[in-house]
Amino acid sequence: MDTEALRSFVRAAELGQLRHAAAELGVTQQAVSKRVAGLERELGVSLFTRTARGVELTLDGQAFLPHARSVVTGADRAVTAVRPGSRALRIDVLGLRSAQAVVLHDYWRSHPGTNLDVVTLRVDDPRLAVAAVEAGEIDASFRAVTDQASLPRDVRMIHAFDSPLELLVGPRHPLASARTLTPARLRKHRIWVPGIAPRSEWAEFYDQLATDFDLRVDAAGPNFGNEVLQDTLADSADVATLVGARDRYTWPTHYDLRRIPIVEPTIAYPLSLLLPRTTPHPGLRPIIDHLHGLPTLPGAVWRPSWR
């Protein structure tokens, strides 16, 4: 089986677009498309469904991905075995617009010689990220296991940094004119966070947040992406959502969406890093030092119980 075809499939699955995979691999989009098509012919199944936004894994593609990733990782390790020190530091983030990716980008800009590979595993259950770290498929993952006693012996979790939350609303929302908001002022307002995945760290985060501040967190409906969420907020007079202060979002100017800091206390989402307990990638140490050097949040701060 063609290793480069497997690599093209894995990167397209992780990035969600053939053109992004092609750009990372240094080939044309047509080349990636042909590789994937050849792989599908060889397997006799469809691995992707093409959409207007890119590609999505079929059920067969989802089943094939971990095995394909394992083959690619094995091939990379074979090359690394004869070229010591050449392997990029591979770190998993929740999304390329997430606070973790933004902080990593800031680090890379100040250390442009860093050989860094930022990936998105596209898994909601943090135990799958733990397994990927344990298997050596990735060097670290910005995920949290809320019950640290369940971590395998070879994986540890450290605090990375706190991401303060902001309320995101449209111009007709009754809180749209506020400069800051306390959690008490959010009561009785609908905070829509669609697609909260069971067993995910953020499911427990929002459960604790709603309980501690008596908030109305609505997880109804599937998550169709940031664009659909922003469309809804722009047109609504009663729907709001929560976003990380460092998360990178863009929307049309005429939407006039408002990001409002939450204070007294600041609501902090604690971001953690999973990494091997022994012999971590040498490139991790300076990144961890950078994370620990980020400014701490001032004033009173609320965090969930696992932090």
Side-chain angles (χ1 to χ4, degrees):
M1 189 167 286
D2 184 355
T3 304
E4 291 309 306
L6 290 173
R7 189 184 306 278
S8 296
F9 161 70
V10 169
R11 294 308 285 142
E14 291 172 342
L15 296 172
Q17 291 200 2
L18 297 181
R19 63 185 179 89
H20 289 169
E24 285 204 3
L25 296 172
V27 298
T28 65
Q29 181 174 336
Q30 184 180 24
V32 170
S33 183
K34 285 183 176 180
R35 289 175 182 176
V36 172
L39 197 56
E40 290 175 324
R41 284 195 300 271
E42 184 175 354
L43 296 170
V45 298
S46 294
L47 298 173
F48 289 122
T49 298
R50 275 65 173 178
T51 71
R53 296 187 184 279
V55 291
E56 294 180 358
L57 288 169
T58 63
L59 291 177
D60 288 321
Q62 293 175 34
F64 186 63
L65 178 59
H67 304 291
R69 186 184 282 129
S70 179
V71 172
V72 172
T73 299
D76 288 343
R77 285 177 175 170
V79 173
T80 301
V82 296
R83 289 192 301 183
S86 64
R87 185 174 65 79
L89 171 62
R90 189 173 172 85
I91 301 182
D92 162 55
V93 298
L94 288 176
L96 296 180
R97 292 185 176 273
S98 67
Q100 309 101 309
V102 171
V103 168
L104 281 179
H105 183 237
D106 289 343
Y107 173 82
W108 181 83
R109 289 178 64 189
S110 60
H111 303 79
T114 304
N115 193 5
L116 185 62
D117 186 12
V118 180
V119 302
T120 301
L121 290 183
R122 293 193 170 193
V123 296
D124 296 323
D125 189 336
R127 293 175 300 181
L128 299 178
V130 170
V133 171
E134 191 175 24
E137 296 171 8
I138 53 177
D139 296 300
S141 173
F142 277 101
R143 311 281 173 140
V145 175
T146 56
D147 178 13
Q148 294 195 44
S150 67
L151 281 172
R153 183 172 52 188
D154 295 335
V155 177
R156 68 187 181 110
M157 186 176 82
I158 62 172
H159 178 64
F161 62 95
D162 290 326
S163 178
L165 296 192
E166 298 174 331
L167 193 75
L168 182 64
V169 297
R172 297 195 296 126
H173 193 279
L175 299 177
S177 61
R179 291 185 178 274
T180 61
L181 291 165
T182 63
R185 290 191 64 189
L186 305 183
R187 291 178 186 147
K188 300 183 181 179
H189 291 282
R190 181 190 176 199
I191 301 173
W192 189 38
V193 187
I196 296 178
R199 295 184 175 180
S200 65
E201 64 191 78
W202 50 93
E204 185 162 343
F205 174 86
Y206 283 112
D207 282 345
Q208 291 189 27
L209 181 66
T211 299
D212 287 2
F213 293 105
D214 191 24
L215 300 184
R216 181 186 168 199
V217 177
D218 180 4
N223 182 4
F224 285 104
N226 291 333
E227 291 83 359
V228 172
L229 178 60
Q230 291 164 7
D231 291 346
T232 302
L233 295 174
D235 292 336
S236 176
D238 62 357
V239 179
T241 196
L242 292 170
V243 297
R246 282 191 174 96
D247 294 347
R248 190 176 285 137
Y249 291 94
T250 59
W251 52 76
T253 304
H254 67 274
Y255 277 16
D256 194 22
L257 300 185
R258 321 286 175 84
R259 298 179 67 148
I260 308 171
I262 301 170
V263 298
E264 298 178 5
T266 297
I267 295 175
Y269 192 105
L271 293 163
S272 300
L273 195 65
L274 298 166
L275 66 158
R277 189 171 295 278
T278 59
T279 63
H281 190 292
L284 271 175
R285 184 70 261 168
I287 288 180
I288 292 171
D289 291 342
H290 174 76
L291 296 175
H292 289 170
L294 294 174
T296 58
L297 300 180
V301 179
W302 177 92
R303 299 177 180 88
S305 62
W306 76 78
R307 170 62 178 97

